[in-house]
Amino acid sequence: MPKLQKKPTHIFLFTSLLLTVIGYCFVYSAGSYWGKVHYEDSLPFFWKQFFYGTLGMLCAWIILKANFISNHKFWLSAYILSILLLFAVYIPGLGVVRNGSQSWIQIAGFSLQPAEFVKISVIGFLACILAKGTNLKTKSFIRPLLICLVPAGIILVQPDFGTAFLLIVGGFSLLFIAGLPMRFFVSIGVIGVLGIVGLIASAPYRLQRIYAFLDPWADPLNSGFQGIQSLLAIGPSGLFGHGFGNSRQKFLYLPEPQNDFIFSIIVEEMGFFGALILISLFILFLYTGYRLAILAPTKVGFFAIAGLQSMIGFQIFLNIGVVVGLFPVTGVTLPFISYGGSSLLSTWLIVGLILRFSKDI
């Protein structure tokens, strides 16, 4: 095989591992004081993150050994099961509410967010359908459209706007790659904008987020607090930051700094160059992933890898954009880095699927 056609599998895997280790380090740093105050332990977030990361890598290894990964029936079953899990959050004693969203299920002390896994099943199922050569220039696009919108609608009700948005972006990126006419996306775009306006207007807390985005200093102790504290972490960091473990905002200024806003802690401690290194690793991860999509031996593999990479790439862009004040707060995690068992587990499932789809089947 010519050198240019070699699959960057090892680089992709190494980058995933390195990003995960970086996540461990900064979950420990960002969450140490928060854990000490609320749980009398400086390491609760680190150990949970380490557990789910190890579990995710084990699942990725199992996926690599599987021989059913391109099977249409498997992805149909996974899609149906993931939809059922979305409804499971409403079962008393099983579903739990966090930060105003009923999006988690808890079993034996372990919690999972089904929406994280629905995103994967939607992409896998769509990839199987598109690989069959469906003519999307006809009315047949309605089926893949509904496959995206039905779970997205359920997730919006919970409510979890950020995850629903990522799911739609991932699904629609596949439809774009499959060659759907541009007029379709223009029409859907207009409808989507109207829908987003309606969703924002119907929920006061979403309106507050928009106001806080436009002028966080108008309400600095409430809706604008998180955004302001994030900028106060990033602004004085300089080229090299204050040093690992020396964040000031993690001392109960930035709420739950180990979660969605962990990037601001990384910049505060590591400075501009630290942020540049992290973003470069993400770019390398995305580049090698798309290379694996181009070199995938099957149509299913091409569509699945492209869709998964597009979804996770947009998630990275959206999270960092929120942290630096380019977008309103959405509650989207930074892949590999943010604290969250479901997020890290689903990210490693994606890594396993990409590596598996890139192999000869």
Side-chain angles (χ1 to χ4, degrees), residues 35-199:
K36 192 70 175 178
V37 171
H38 294 277
Y39 301 98
E40 299 183 353
D41 181 3
S42 60
L43 293 175
F45 303 116
F46 171 81
W47 287 122
K48 288 184 179 179
Q49 189 79 344
F50 184 79
F51 169 78
Y52 280 104
T54 303
L55 179 61
M57 293 177 199
L58 177 61
C59 291
W61 180 81
I62 293 173
I63 289 172
L64 278 171
K65 303 298 180 181
N67 57 5
F68 52 80
I69 212 66
S70 296
N71 188 287
H72 182 275
K73 291 182 179 180
F74 167 76
W75 284 108
L76 173 60
S77 301
Y79 178 78
I80 294 173
L81 177 61
S82 63
I83 296 292
L84 294 176
L85 285 175
L86 284 180
F87 288 107
V89 301
Y90 298 107
I91 299 176
L94 184 62
V96 293
V97 178
R98 293 181 181 176
N99 298 324
S101 296
Q102 192 160 357
S103 304
W104 284 265
I105 56 176
Q106 185 164 325
I107 303 173
F110 294 96
S111 59
L112 288 175
Q113 189 177 9
E116 290 287 342
F117 307 99
V118 172
K119 295 187 300 183
I120 299 174
S121 68
V122 167
I123 297 298
F125 191 31
L126 272 179
C128 289
I129 292 174
L130 297 176
K132 289 184 175 181
T134 304
N135 182 10
L136 293 179
K137 294 182 180 180
T138 67
K139 293 182 179 180
S140 59
F141 72 81
I142 294 177
R143 183 188 180 196
L145 185 63
L146 290 176
I147 289 172
C148 293
L149 295 182
V150 168
I154 299 172
I155 294 170
L156 278 173
V157 173
Q158 293 182 349
D160 186 350
F161 182 82
T163 303
F165 190 54
L166 289 175
L167 189 154
I168 292 174
V169 168
F172 277 44
S173 67
L174 267 185
L175 298 179
F176 178 79
I177 293 170
L180 203 67
M182 189 57 65
R183 63 178 180 276
F184 167 81
F185 293 99
V186 173
S187 302
I188 291 295
V190 172
I191 296 173
V193 169
L194 295 175
I196 291 174
V197 171
L199 287 171

Side-chain angles (χ1 to χ4, degrees), residues 221-233:
L221 298 180
N222 189 15
S223 60
F225 184 78
Q226 197 169 24
I228 291 173
Q229 298 306 315
S230 177
L231 295 178
L232 289 176

Side-chain angles (χ1 to χ4, degrees), residues 225 229 248-255:
F225 184 78
Q229 298 306 315
R248 302 163 185 172
Q249 293 302 111
K250 70 180 181 182
F251 293 109
L252 304 185
Y253 292 103
L254 185 63

Side-chain angles (χ1 to χ4, degrees), residues 3-21:
K3 186 175 181 180
L4 291 177
Q5 293 301 312
K6 285 185 177 180
K7 296 178 181 178
T9 305
H10 293 92
I11 299 176
F12 177 80
L13 180 58
F14 175 76
T15 307
S16 302
L17 289 168
L18 185 55
L19 285 168
T20 302
V21 172

Side-chain angles (χ1 to χ4, degrees), residues 293-323:
I294 294 171
L295 299 174
T298 65
K299 284 187 177 182
V300 176
F302 167 73
F303 283 121
I305 296 174
L308 292 170
Q309 281 292 92
S310 297
M311 183 172 63
I312 204 168
F314 186 77
Q315 183 174 345
I316 294 167
F317 175 72
L318 183 59
N319 175 274
I320 294 177
V322 167
V323 169

